[in-house]
């Protein structure tokens, strides 16, 4: 009989099965390796998010908070904005609840250095004139005003943002996990009329006030940078030519800015001060006594100017404002009062009478600046209006009309 088979199954050669096994093993390894890499990436992202949320460095130490401070130095006023610990930047009110602080500096009879509104009140009570610190090339005066304003604004804004690292505490010195002191970066915007000497004095005054290594930049340049950052101008505007009209307290300047540099500037001595003077002139018509009495009394004169300064922003929203100052002064016949209604049209005519035409003055400034920069109006990419006085429709209409006569867009 035939012999029985010794193997009743199909035999696969080893050289054929090994590649199949190798592919299977490699597939499993690749799958789990991919999962492991994804898990490591997710863990890394979670760790970085933890470091960012807890304010720590990779070595476990605390990351110092960063405060960015912007100080706008005007002819008469000072404004401070703070971005504390990454929070959005906001203008910080001073101790009296105002967003703008007068940059007054006054040395009292007893030798005390007084700043702000208190300096103005003390000076006027003594019958003296008070000057804004930044109009004086005096490092002591500038330092006193900055020291009285900026550090307080930083600490209050930091506390509002929930940053406890700015508060002084003796227990933190022995705590290794305590947050390090915050890093403060300060930008000071100064008028374009500042000379190199004035900029040097301003930097020295900032250092004396406890503001190390401030970055000083001209207001027209900061205006262009800010307009681009806020999306009001395209990014290429920083390399193009822009005309910036800055309405300050004592003057109006027209500056051609290109590539973050002031190429040309011209100024005229009209500005926010003329608006206040015109408003005071309009208000004096409602005084129920001799106008000379109103202006010979330093306290009454200051009350009227303060009221005029407070009412001017309201005229940008309405066509008429009411001024009411009871018991503003007194004479032998008794107390005197001031009550009057002022319209924007009357104010505009009064300003034109004082300065001889705002629009024509602004047009002359703009033309001279463009000519000094060896440009034409068609080389300009934008016309910007900045400064405290720009809140008045009077200057906004003047710049718009002057820009239209240049051939550009208002």
């Amino acid at each position: 009989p035939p012999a029985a088979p010794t193997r009743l199954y199909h035999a696969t050669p080893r050289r054929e099965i090994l590649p199949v096994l190798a592919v299977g093993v490699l597939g499993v390894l690749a799958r789990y390796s991919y999962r492991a890499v994804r898990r490591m990436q997710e863990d890394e992202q979670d760790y970085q998010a933890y470091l960012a949320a807890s304010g720590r460095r990779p070595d476990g130490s605390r990351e110092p908070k960063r405060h960015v401070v912007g100080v706008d130095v005007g002819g008469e006023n000072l404004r401070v904005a703070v971005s504390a610990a990454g929070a959005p930047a906001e203008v910080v009110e001073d101790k009296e609840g105002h967003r703008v602080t007068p940059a007054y500096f006054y040395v009292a009879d007893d030798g005390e250095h007084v700043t702000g509104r208190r300096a103005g009140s003390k000076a006027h009570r003594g019958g003296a004139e008070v000057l804004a610190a930044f109009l004086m090339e005096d490092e002591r005066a500038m330092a006193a005003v900055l020291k009285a304003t900026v550090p307080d604004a930083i600490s209050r804004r930091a506390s509002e943002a929930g940053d406890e690292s700015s508060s002084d505490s003796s227990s933190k010195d022995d705590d290794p996990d305590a947050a390090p002191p915050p890093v403060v970066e300060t930008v000071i915007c100064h008028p374009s009329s500042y000379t190199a000497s004035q900029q040097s004095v301003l930097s020295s005054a900032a250092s004396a006030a406890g503001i190390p290594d401030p970055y000083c930049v001209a207001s027209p340049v900061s205006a262009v940078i800010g307009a681009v950052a806020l999306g009001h101008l395209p990014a290429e505007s920083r390399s193009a030519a822009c005309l910036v009209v800055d309405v300050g307290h004592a003057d109006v300047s027209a500056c051609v800015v290109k590539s973050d540099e002031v190429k040309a500037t011209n100024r005229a001595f009209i500005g926010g001060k003329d608006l206040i003077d015109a408003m005071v002139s309009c208000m004096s018509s409602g005084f129920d006594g001799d106008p000379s009495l109103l202006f010979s009394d330093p306290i009454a004169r200051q009350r009227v100017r303060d009221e005029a300064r407070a009412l001017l922003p309201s005229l940008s929203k309405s066509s008429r404002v009411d001024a009411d100052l009871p018991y503003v002064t007194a004479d032998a016949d008794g107390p005197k009062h001031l009550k009057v209604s002022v319209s924007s049209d009357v104010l505009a005519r009064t300003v034109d009478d004082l300065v001889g035409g705002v629009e024509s003055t602004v047009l002359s400034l703009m033309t001279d600046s463009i000519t000094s920069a060896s440009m034409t109006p068609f080389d300009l990419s934008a016309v910007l209006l900045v400064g405290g006085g720009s809140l008045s429709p009077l200057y906004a209409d003047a710049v718009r009309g002057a820009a239209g006569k240049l051939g550009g867009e208002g």
Side-chain angles (χ1 to χ4, degrees):
T6 58
R7 291 183 298 178
L8 300 178
Y9 58 90
H10 177 73
T12 302
R14 183 179 299 177
R15 64 176 177 273
E16 296 180 10
I17 197 64
L18 287 181
V20 175
L21 292 176
V23 170
V25 172
L26 290 176
V28 172
L29 289 176
R31 179 180 180 183
Y32 283 99
S33 297
Y34 173 76
R35 288 184 176 182
V37 171
R38 287 292 304 271
R39 179 65 60 84
M40 291 172 61
Q41 292 175 345
E42 292 173 357
D43 291 345
E44 176 66 19
Q45 293 175 357
D46 293 341
Y47 180 62
Q48 294 297 335
Y50 162 75
L51 292 177
S54 60
R56 295 180 181 275
R57 297 189 179 97
D59 60 0
S61 61
R62 297 286 293 273
E63 183 77 25
K65 297 294 180 68
R66 188 176 301 275
H67 303 332
V68 181
V69 184
V71 183
D72 184 14
V73 173
E76 187 179 54
N77 299 314
L78 181 75
R79 192 190 302 262
V80 181
V82 180
S83 172
E90 291 185 7
V91 175
V92 183
E93 296 180 350
D94 59 20
K95 296 178 181 178
E96 300 173 359
H98 300 280
R99 290 166 61 88
V100 177
T101 303
Y104 295 149
F105 176 78
Y106 179 68
V107 180
D109 295 336
D110 58 359
E112 179 188 7
H113 292 177
V114 191
T115 62
R117 291 177 181 82
R118 185 163 163 258
S121 300
K122 274 206 168 192
H124 290 297
R125 279 199 299 269
E129 291 294 331
V130 62
L131 293 177
F134 300 105
L135 294 179
M136 309 157 54
E137 198 167 332
D138 186 343
E139 180 180 330
R140 178 188 61 171
M142 292 183 181
V145 172
L146 291 173
K147 189 174 183 179
T149 309
V150 178
D152 178 69
I154 296 174
S155 61
R156 287 192 290 113
R157 184 71 184 103
S159 62
E160 292 173 4
D163 177 25
E164 300 177 355
S165 62
S166 298
S167 60
D168 293 329
S169 175
S170 59
S171 61
K172 290 184 178 182
D173 296 337
D174 301 328
D175 184 4
D177 196 46
V183 176
V184 180
E185 298 177 355
T186 306
V187 179
I188 300 180
C189 302
H190 58 77
S192 60
S193 58
Y194 263 33
T195 63
S197 174
Q198 288 174 304
Q199 294 179 37
S200 176
V201 172
L202 179 60
S203 297
S204 300
S207 299
I211 307 173
D213 301 324
Y215 176 69
C216 296
V217 60
S219 294
V221 176
S222 67
V224 175
I225 295 174
V228 171
L230 294 174
H232 300 313
L233 292 177
E236 55 268 18
S237 296
R238 289 186 62 176
S239 58
C242 297
L243 182 63
V244 181
V245 180
D246 186 0
V247 183
H249 174 71
D251 59 17
V252 173
S253 63
C255 306
V256 176
V257 178
K258 185 176 182 180
S259 301
D260 295 345
E261 292 184 19
V262 177
K263 300 298 183 181
T265 181
N266 284 275
R267 61 175 179 155
F269 291 97
I270 63 172
K273 179 178 180 295
D274 297 290
L275 285 175
I276 298 174
D277 292 342
M279 190 68 178
V280 169
S281 178
C282 295
M283 291 171 57
S284 63
S285 63
F287 182 60
D288 62 356
D290 185 359
S292 62
L293 174 65
L294 183 64
F295 297 109
S296 61
D297 183 348
I299 297 179
R301 183 173 65 246
Q302 184 62 28
R303 282 189 63 190
V304 175
R305 291 191 68 83
D306 289 343
E307 182 70 8
R309 186 182 288 106
L311 290 176
L312 277 174
S314 300
L315 277 178
S316 64
K317 303 175 183 177
S318 62
S319 60
R320 184 176 295 273
V321 294
D322 297 324
D324 187 4
L325 291 175
Y327 304 99
V328 65
T329 187
D331 59 8
D333 298 329
K336 300 297 179 181
H337 315 286
L338 187 152
K339 187 172 184 179
V340 67
S341 180
V342 181
S343 68
S344 56
D345 293 337
V346 172
L347 178 65
R349 288 196 296 269
T350 306
V351 173
D352 279 339
D353 292 340
L354 286 175
V355 302
V358 176
E359 183 175 321
S360 59
T361 303
V362 172
L363 176 60
S364 176
L365 286 176
M366 296 167 72
T367 303
D368 291 344
S369 294
I370 294 172
T371 304
S372 300
S374 301
M375 297 181 183
T376 67
F378 300 100
D379 294 326
L380 302 176
S381 64
V383 177
L384 300 179
L385 175 62
V386 298
S390 63
L391 297 176
S392 170
L394 176 67
Y395 282 103
D397 294 341
V399 172
R400 189 177 293 110
K405 292 179 180 178
L406 282 174
E409 297 182 358

